Structure formats: structure tokens, C-alpha cells
Amino acid sequence: MTTIVAVRKGNQIAIAADSQTTFGDDQKLLAPYDCFHDKIFQHGDSYLAVSGSAAHDLVLKRALADLKKKDLSSRQGIFETFRKLHPKLKDAFYLRPEEDEEDPYESSQMMVVIANRHGIFGVYPMREIYEFSRVWAIGSGRKFAMGAMYAVYDQDLTAKEIAEIGVRAGCEFDVSSSLPMTVYTVELAAAAAKEA
């Protein structure tokens, strides 16, 4: 329950998130009461944000730190990294990978957005990896954020400004998202910027 967005425009990538934590259907923890309300964390030259259980944040930070070889710079590299992480999530962190009996693979139970100088990537529960060329959002406020960012993307705005608009829309209409937000930006690598 959150609003997490990432935007790629020009030679800049921005990742932004709201700061509310929600417990069940009837209790929220707002930023002034939460010492660790920033939902985005840095690992090397990448920024990551996770949608799903609040436990995923600490687990993913630790699991990535413990993994000797990792690559968050490409779709294939991220796939291999999360493939290697999955058994560790189960064995060391007690992940329960069951979702639907008909699922073709075990679930990691989390959605992750990665923003770095190589692009914007999304990791989904069965290790589906996507690379996004303009905007993306995850969490319960994602539909509001996507609509708002789509509406302003072609205006004379930076990636950071568009990301902020997306999170503000999520916080305005989603009961599980609240301001303040956190925003981080990175400059695209020269090769990635040429592809844009």
C-alpha cells in the first residue's frame, strides 16, 4: 500500500515515493511518527523501492548486501540477480513463496522498482523483469500516479517534476499513500541516453 513512481526524461531518471505505512485496513503510520519513512534505498549506484509487505525492505537490503555477484544494470542482469536471491529469500529470510496453485513459478511476493544510470526496471513476483522507457508506478496509488504522469509527460517538465506530480496524485486519491515524499535523481549513462 504505497505510491512509488519512476520517470525517465531527457538524460535524467527520477524515483519517488510517498511515506505512509498502513497496517491492515484501519491504521496508518505517518512520516512524523516513523523514524524510517523513506521507502527508497540505495544499493551501489541504484535506487530501489519495494511494494508489498514492509518486511521486504529490510530483507531485500540485507539479501542484496549478502549476495557476492549482482548486476542491476540490465534486464538480464537483474533477472540473474533475483534468480540467485530467491533461494536465499526462502532459506535465510523464511519467504513463503506460495501464491496461487496454478502459478508457474514460486513467488518472491514483492514488486520492486529500480532506478539507476542504465534505466528504470521493474521486478515482479515471479521474477518478471521489465524496462520502462518513460514512466512507471507500483503500489495502491499507481493508477492515479500513472494517469497524472501521462497527462504531463510531454510538457516542459523534468523527470523529477513529473515524478513529484505522480506521487502527489497518488497521495491525493489513495487512502494508503500520504505526503511527504522522497525523490532521488540520477543522470543516465551516455549509452542509455543515446537510446532514449
Side-chain angles (χ1 to χ4, degrees):
M1 305 252 193
T2 188
T3 301
I4 296 167
V5 307
V7 178
R8 177 178 176 159
K9 188 168 182 187
N11 65 345
Q12 185 182 72
I13 288 182
I15 184 170
D18 80 301
S19 56
Q20 178 178 320
T21 299
T22 306
F23 300 94
D25 294 332
D26 61 356
Q27 187 175 5
K28 61 185 177 181
L29 176 62
L30 299 176
Y33 302 96
D34 185 355
C35 294
F36 301 99
H37 65 271
D38 188 347
K39 296 180 181 180
I40 302 168
F41 69 91
Q42 188 170 5
H43 182 81
D45 67 351
S46 297
Y47 290 95
L48 295 88
V50 185
S51 175
S53 169
H56 292 324
D57 183 61
L58 288 173
V59 167
L60 187 57
K61 283 179 191 174
R62 179 61 185 268
L64 281 170
D66 290 349
L67 194 63
K68 288 185 171 83
K69 289 188 177 182
K70 56 212 155 215
D71 177 3
L72 302 178
S73 68
S74 69
R75 188 170 174 249
Q76 188 63 39
I78 293 167
F79 172 77
E80 287 300 325
T81 298
F82 275 78
R83 184 185 65 76
K84 288 186 246 177
L85 277 177
H86 189 72
K88 294 180 183 306
L89 295 174
K90 288 176 20 180
D91 296 342
F93 300 98
Y94 313 107
L95 171 74
R96 295 184 58 187
E98 305 84 18
E99 274 192 18
D100 190 319
E101 224 174 76
E102 314 251 333
D103 286 341
Y105 303 102
E106 290 182 347
S107 173
S108 67
Q109 305 284 354
M110 65 178 83
M111 284 182 277
V112 183
V113 170
I114 302 169
N116 58 40
R117 61 193 203 96
H118 305 284
I120 300 168
F121 304 92
V123 182
Y124 280 77
M126 290 182 206
R127 288 154 306 285
E128 309 104 309
I129 312 297
Y130 296 92
E131 183 173 1
F132 306 108
S133 59
R134 293 173 61 139
V135 299
W136 197 247
I138 61 173
S140 53
R142 71 189 176 282
K143 293 178 182 177
F144 305 114
M146 288 294 289
M149 293 186 299
Y150 168 79
V152 301
Y153 188 84
D154 291 325
Q155 295 180 16
D156 186 23
L157 298 169
T158 65
K160 180 179 186 236
E161 291 167 328
I162 296 166
E164 290 171 343
I165 289 167
V167 172
R168 285 187 193 287
C171 292
E172 185 72 20
F173 297 106
D174 175 46
V175 297
S176 298
S177 301
S178 295
L179 296 172
M181 75 176 85
T182 51
V183 184
Y184 298 91
T185 60
V186 294
E187 297 298 313
L188 275 169
K194 285 179 187 175
E195 294 170 11

